[in-house]
Amino acid sequence: MKNKIIILSPVFMLSLMLFSCQDATPKVKKKPMNPTKTILNPTSTFSGNFTGIHNQKEIFLTLIPETGSKKVNGSLIIDGRKAKIEVTENNGICNGKITEEDTKKQYSILIKFIGQKLNCTIPFPEFNNQVLSFNLDKSSLTFGGNEDSIVIENGTTITNGNSSGTNGSNHKRNPEVIGKWRFTEVLSSGSGEFYASFSTDYFLRINADGTAITWTGKSVGGTNAVSIEGSYGTNVQQYQWYTNGKAFHFVNPQNNQEQVVNYYVEPYRMMFSYGNNKRVYQRIN
């Protein structure tokens, strides 16, 4: 009797398929057995992008299940701080760990659905095992990172004829930039009794829905003898935004004109650069 053994690729959780062949005696025939089929796990519900707010902090979570496996990987961003997710799904619950990108600290995490909400629980041993628990909603937003693929000309203003969908899902947005930021410009001149300085706060609020607003705050300054304080009131400008490589795109929603600048982001600061001009923004609550 001749037997054949077929082993599928290990990528798909190797399963054995056994075929019985015909007997050598022509009078006695055996029907071949149906091969055992490889049954893949059903599509995991722990997949896609999720967003929410906890204690006034923006939270973004992305989950990507491995094909034919119970493993789920992804990333978690809380108020600009990023962590890698590595969990295993079992009976509708994901257990595993997260690793902070900047500190490399690891914490356990439990992820499950409560109704339509994705619930995450993270205990912190260094704080007497206090637990951070938050709920997230499924999001249709497209998230993208700060890739190293594009070099932008010096603050060039361009018009993109295909930018009518800027606020849609065709563009990627780096969730690490979402939040409220402040840049303080300080001007000074003279010295001694002729010294004078003047500082102005500029604010930027970047929203997850692809909108952004900028406004100018108070200005203070003066000389040794005179103090000046002023406010620009409600000087608010509205934009749409998206990211592409190292480029940050500000889009005027009225005419789709784009202002493109280079950007670099860390958890608590972000730098915009265009030409010889650089602005370093600090994240604020």
Side-chain angles (χ1 to χ4, degrees):
M1 179 176 290
K2 188 177 181 181
N3 295 319
K4 294 182 180 180
I5 296 178
I6 300 176
I7 300 178
L8 298 181
S9 169
V11 176
F12 296 98
M13 305 296 295
L14 300 184
S15 63
L16 186 71
M17 301 173 64
L18 180 62
F19 294 86
S20 66
C21 300
Q22 297 180 357
D23 192 277
T25 304
K27 294 181 180 181
V28 180
K29 294 184 178 182
K30 295 181 180 180
K31 292 182 179 181
M33 296 175 59
N34 291 329
T36 302
K37 294 182 179 180
T38 301
I39 301 176
L40 299 180
N41 293 331
T43 302
S44 173
T45 56
F46 295 94
S47 174
N49 297 318
F50 301 82
T51 62
I53 297 177
H54 182 75
N55 288 338
Q56 298 182 341
K57 297 185 184 300
E58 302 268 8
I59 300 177
F60 303 89
L61 186 145
T62 298
L63 295 176
I64 305 174
E66 292 187 3
T67 304
S69 170
K70 292 186 176 182
K71 292 183 179 180
V72 180
N73 300 316
S75 62
L76 173 66
I77 299 176
I78 301 179
D79 200 31
R81 300 188 66 174
K82 191 174 183 180
K84 180 181 179 182
I85 296 177
E86 298 172 288
V87 294
T88 300
E89 180 183 354
N90 190 19
N91 295 325
I93 297 177
C94 287
N95 269 299
K97 65 181 180 179
I98 62 171
T99 305
E100 288 188 350
E101 189 176 75
D102 51 348
T103 66
K104 306 305 179 185
K105 288 184 178 180
Q106 292 186 343
Y107 301 94
S108 61
I109 185 171
L110 184 148
I111 306 174
K112 62 182 179 180
F113 278 97
I114 300 179
Q116 298 297 317
K117 300 282 187 178
L118 186 75
N119 175 262
C120 300
T121 302
I122 307 172
F124 292 90
E126 64 265 44
F127 298 111
N128 295 323
N129 286 318
Q130 291 186 30
V131 174
L132 171 64
S133 180
F134 50 87
N135 295 324
L136 304 175
D137 294 307
K138 190 70 178 286
S139 173
S140 60
L141 296 177
T142 302
F143 298 148
N146 188 10
E147 308 92 349
D148 297 327
S149 61
I150 289 182
V151 176
I152 299 301
E153 296 295 330
N154 298 338
T156 303
T157 301
I158 62 174
T159 299
N160 184 352
N162 296 322
S163 61
S164 57
T166 297
N167 202 26
S169 60
N170 293 331
H171 292 294
K172 290 185 177 181
R173 302 183 182 96
N174 184 355
E176 296 173 72
V177 306
I178 293 172
K180 186 178 179 181
W181 303 86
R182 177 178 62 202
F183 166 72
T184 302
E185 181 181 53
V186 179
L187 303 175
S188 61
S189 63
S191 61
E193 61 179 321
F194 301 105
Y195 176 79
S197 65
F198 200 75
S199 63
T200 304
D201 285 334
Y202 297 92
F203 295 91
L204 169 63
R205 182 69 171 89
I206 302 175
N207 300 313
D209 63 359
T211 62
I213 59 173
T214 63
W215 70 97
T216 305
K218 288 185 177 181
S219 296
V220 295
T223 66
N224 291 333
V226 179
S227 295
I228 302 173
E229 181 175 343
S231 175
Y232 284 85
T234 57
N235 182 21
V236 177
Q237 293 180 301
Q238 299 184 359
Y239 298 93
Q240 294 171 351
W241 72 276
Y242 65 95
T243 55
N244 186 3
K246 292 182 178 180
F248 193 102
H249 296 247
F250 288 96
V251 185
N252 185 325
Q254 303 299 321
N255 56 20
N256 286 331
Q257 190 176 60
E258 298 190 8
Q259 176 72 39
V260 187
V261 298
N262 286 309
Y263 84 104
Y264 171 80
V265 63
E266 293 180 351
Y268 298 109
R269 64 176 183 171
M270 175 172 59
M271 183 177 71
F272 286 140
S273 61
Y274 43 101
N276 294 324
N277 298 314
K278 290 181 173 60
R279 283 191 172 189
V280 178
Y281 284 81
Q282 303 295 326
R283 184 184 293 275
I284 59 178
N285 293 326

